[in-house]
Every structure is written in C-alpha cells, then in structure tokens.
C-alpha cells in the first residue's frame, strides 16, 4: 500500500486541474457529484492517500459528528441520538444522521461518503446484514475516530458501548420460567449481530440452567418487513406446538407479537407471556402493558459523544482505547408477564 501517487499525478490521470481534484476530495459544493464520484473512485484505484479529513482537522474542523444507525423508528436509537446531540451541541458540534435501513449496501455507500471528509468522527451501530466489515476497517485505517454502540464490530480496535445483553436476556428468560412458562421462543432478526448472539446465549443458558430443552422451532428468525413478521409470529402462535412464552430480542418483534394475536383467541398473559427489549414509552400503555428490557440509551449517547469530543479536542494526546464498556439495562415488569 505504500507509495501511492501525488495529487498532481491523480489530476493528470483524470485530465482535471489539481485544484478541481483537491476540491472534489474535500467534498466542495462547487464540484458536481458526478465529478466527485469519478475522482474518488480513481483515488481509490490508484491508492491516493492524501487524507482530506486529517487536513480538515489541522486546518478547520467541520465540527460535525456522523451518526450511523440501522433504523429510525426504534426508540432506542432515537434516544441514543438525543444523548449524542445533548453533548455535541454543548461543544459546538452538529450531527449528520445516516440511516442504513438494515441494508449493508446502504451502509457501505454511507461509509464511502464519510471517507471524504464530511465528518470529523463517527458513532455507529451496524446493520443486521453486516458480516463483511472491510468498509469499516477502511474508515478506521484512514484514522477517522469511530466508536460503536449496541451493535458493535469486535474486530475494529476502538471503544464500544453496549448493555449487558447476555445477563439481561438470561434474567428475562428466568423471569418467564418463574412465571410458569415451559416453552419459550426467542425472536430475532439476524444471526450476524453481536447483540443477537449475546441475547441468544443468555436465553439458551437460562433454559439449560433450569434443565429445559430448547425446541429448535423456537429459535425464531424474523424479517425486516412488519407484515411478514406478524404473519410468521401468527403462524407460530397458532401451530400445535406453540410457545407459552416469548423473549423478543428487538422492540419491533415485541410489537409484532401484539399485532399477531389481534384476531386470535390468545390472551396475554394467560396463554402467552411476553417480554421484549424496548425503550418505547408506549410499552406501558399497551393493553395489557408490556414487560420490557429497557436499555440505557441516553447514557450510551452521552458517553459516546463525551469520548469522541475528548478525542477530537486533543487528537494527539487521546486514544480511543480498544475496550467494551457495558452500561446495564433494567427489566420493567408489567402485565404481559404477570398474571395474578
């Protein structure tokens, strides 16, 4: 990778003026998107390594933090963003928010955009499709400060903020067992996600701990389409070997379960007890109200932003240590798991 080429050589190769190439690499508004694309792809191809944001950090920071999330409708991500924004605004930074919509191709496009100096740093939760992480490695190799939260990328040496996914899923499963559940299903979106693996491990260990068998049909994968999830869950709950307890590993699957039983005779909590990861305030006013595992979203947002801004203010004196910081979640017991 050493060597690379100079800006002049890159410009000659593109048959453009060096000043145009420089402005394109700095994401200048004067340059068309088409030209920027052409310049960036040639720069990648020829291994051109002038680091536009290292320069912008030296000269004048864009004072922007990019936040990449997999979905906006999930109240957990919304609250993390609020937390980041609280601290960022105090320090004179603003946020650029990107939504991958759980699509790894979108995630790669966003990352490529950010390689060109749009932001001084990145806070990120990966999409459920992300298994190849070469695009994220590239960000880190370029020296752009990056912090992961919730859905983390273990192979990139930086600070990651998570909640106690394993322990809290273990406790939630135990809670269902204590409430009399014998056949507990675990609903999830993706086997690639760091959080899913940990939550699933907690669920399985709690069953094992109680000497209960795990029915493979209850290790239940859902999709990203709401209607499909409602259909899948409905089929599971009306099948002969239906579960009597559900642990939903993400908020949308908890809500989908409520939808799925709407036109059935199934009653919560008498026939089915449900606990879901969720930060939605609506959980308490559902009928019956939903038992939730509430994640410390605002605190995670605050901590991510504080650390990044410390790094941005003193880039040479402060390193983002390769560590995982755990901020615990809490179980709020409501009617969906508790029958008198």
């Amino acid at each position: 990778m050493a060597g690379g080429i100079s800006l002049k050589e890159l410009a000659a190769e593109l048959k453009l003026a060096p000043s145009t190439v420089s402005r394109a690499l700095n994401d200048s508004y004067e340059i068309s998107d088409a030209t920027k694309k052409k310049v960036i792809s040639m720069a990648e191809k020829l291994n051109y390594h002038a680091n536009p944001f290292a320069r912008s950090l030296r000269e004048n920071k864009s004072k922007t933090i990019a936040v990449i999330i997999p979905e906006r409708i999930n109240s957990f991500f919304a609250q993390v963003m609020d937390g980041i924004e609280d601290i960022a605004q105090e320090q004179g930074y603003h946020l650029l928010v990107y939504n991958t919509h759980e699509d790894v191709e979108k995630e790669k496009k966003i990352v490529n955009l950010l390689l060109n100096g749009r932001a001084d740093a990145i806070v990120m939760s990966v999409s459920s499709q992300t298994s190849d992480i070469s695009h994220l490695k590239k960000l880190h190799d370029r020296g752009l400060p990056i912090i992961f939260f919730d859905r983390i990328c273990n192979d990139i040496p930086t600070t990651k903020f998570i909640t106690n996914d394993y322990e809290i899923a273990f406790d939630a499963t135990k809670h269902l067992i204590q409430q009399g559940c014998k056949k507990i299903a675990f609903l999830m979106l993706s086997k690639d996600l760091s959080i899913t693996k940990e939550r699933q491990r907690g669920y399985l260990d709690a069953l094992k701990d109680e000497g209960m068998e795990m029915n493979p049909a209850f290790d239940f994968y859902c999709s990203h389409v709401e209607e499909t999830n409602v259909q899948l869950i409905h089929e599971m709950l009306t099948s002969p070997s239906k579960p009597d307890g559900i642990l939903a590993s993400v908020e949308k699957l908890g809500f989908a379960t409520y939808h799925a039983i709407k036109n059935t005779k199934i009653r919560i909590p008498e026939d089915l007890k449900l606990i879901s990861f969720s930060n939605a305030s609506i959980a308490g006013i559902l009928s019956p109200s939903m038992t939730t595992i509430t994640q410390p979203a605002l605190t995670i947002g605050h901590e991510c932003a504080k650390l990044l801004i410390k790094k941005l203010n003193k880039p040479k004196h402060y390193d983002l240590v390769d560590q995982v910081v755990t901020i615990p979640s809490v179980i709020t017991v409501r009617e969906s798991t508790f029958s008198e």
Side-chain angles (χ1 to χ4, degrees):
M1 292 295 280
I5 64 162
S6 72
L7 180 72
K8 259 201 180 102
E9 289 167 313
L10 176 61
E13 191 67 36
L14 286 155
K15 300 188 173 48
L16 292 169
S19 60
T20 305
V21 173
S22 172
R23 287 207 298 273
L25 289 167
N26 278 309
D27 199 20
S28 163
Y29 66 89
E30 301 157 285
I31 307 293
S32 74
D33 280 351
T35 304
K36 282 179 199 168
K37 273 202 192 101
K38 204 162 73 180
V39 170
I40 289 155
S41 76
M42 185 63 79
E44 294 273 304
K45 197 165 121 195
L46 300 178
N47 192 20
Y48 173 71
H49 272 317
N51 192 331
F53 40 75
R55 195 162 60 245
S56 80
L57 285 177
R58 279 199 305 275
E59 291 165 8
N60 59 342
K61 291 179 178 175
S62 68
K63 298 294 267 186
T64 302
I65 293 171
V67 184
I68 305 175
I69 54 170
E71 54 178 6
R72 271 206 181 89
I73 54 166
N74 184 317
S75 48
F76 168 73
F77 293 114
Q79 287 169 24
V80 172
M81 281 194 305
D82 285 348
I84 295 169
E85 201 162 33
D86 283 350
I87 305 291
Q89 281 183 343
E90 266 172 29
Q91 300 291 326
Y93 282 83
H94 55 272
L95 302 192
L96 263 182
V97 179
Y98 295 95
N99 184 354
T100 63
H101 297 280
E102 299 283 16
D103 178 342
V104 72
E105 289 311 313
K106 280 207 176 92
E107 185 177 277
K108 285 176 182 167
K109 280 190 183 125
I110 291 163
V111 163
N112 279 331
L113 207 61
L114 293 172
L115 280 167
N116 303 306
R118 273 175 191 236
D120 299 334
I122 295 172
V123 182
M124 176 171 192
S125 197
V126 300
S127 91
S128 55
Q129 293 182 354
T130 307
S131 46
D132 165 30
I133 58 154
S134 47
H135 58 299
L136 302 177
K137 279 211 166 88
K138 202 185 283 185
L139 269 183
H140 183 260
D141 293 347
R142 291 274 185 100
L144 190 61
I146 182 166
I147 284 179
F148 292 96
F149 73 93
D150 193 49
R151 304 167 174 200
I152 60 173
C153 190
N154 278 311
D155 299 334
I156 292 180
T158 184
T159 305
K160 298 117 186 159
F161 287 93
I162 60 166
T163 184
N164 54 341
D165 287 301
Y166 169 81
E167 290 85 354
I168 207 79
F170 182 93
D171 292 346
T173 309
K174 283 277 194 170
H175 171 67
L176 289 170
I177 295 165
Q178 281 153 11
Q179 296 303 313
C181 295
K182 301 271 188 288
K183 297 183 290 182
I184 299 167
F186 178 73
L187 308 187
M188 61 192 135
L189 283 181
S190 158
K191 55 182 172 296
D192 292 323
L193 280 177
S194 54
I195 55 168
T196 308
K197 288 175 187 160
E198 286 303 286
R199 292 170 188 182
Q200 188 179 27
R201 210 164 59 79
Y203 155 75
L204 293 172
D205 280 0
L207 293 182
K208 207 184 301 168
D209 200 49
E210 295 284 340
M212 290 166 74
E213 286 292 304
M214 196 279 291
N215 176 345
F218 290 166
D219 222 14
F220 200 77
Y221 287 103
C222 297
S223 82
H224 294 292
V225 182
E226 177 73 13
E227 296 75 42
T228 314
N229 290 339
V230 171
Q231 188 59 37
L232 287 169
I233 295 166
H234 181 271
E235 281 164 19
M236 175 175 65
L237 292 175
T238 51
S239 72
S241 60
K242 56 184 182 287
D244 58 6
I246 281 181
L247 169 57
S249 68
V250 291
E251 181 174 286
K252 67 162 101 181
L253 299 180
F255 291 146
T257 304
Y258 271 74
H259 280 292
I261 67 160
K262 226 186 341 206
N263 299 317
T264 68
K265 292 206 166 79
I266 298 165
R267 297 162 308 157
I268 296 177
E270 293 81 359
D271 309 317
L272 176 72
K273 293 183 169 57
L274 166 73
I275 184 166
S276 179
F277 279 80
S278 174
N279 277 51
S281 52
I282 196 173
I285 57 170
L286 287 174
S287 181
S289 58
M290 183 165 74
T291 295
T292 55
I293 296 162
T294 310
Q295 295 167 268
L298 208 59
T299 310
I300 288 174
H302 286 160
E303 295 305 312
C304 286
K306 278 183 202 161
L307 201 56
L308 265 191
I309 287 166
K310 212 183 258 187
K311 168 71 178 164
L312 290 172
N313 289 342
K314 292 193 173 160
K316 289 198 171 59
H317 308 292
Y318 199 80
D319 275 329
L320 295 173
V321 185
D322 183 13
Q323 61 174 344
V324 176
V325 180
T326 305
I327 305 173
S329 290
V330 287
I331 295 176
T332 305
V333 177
R334 298 193 184 91
E335 293 159 356
S336 71
T337 57
F338 197 74
S339 41
E340 293 298 326

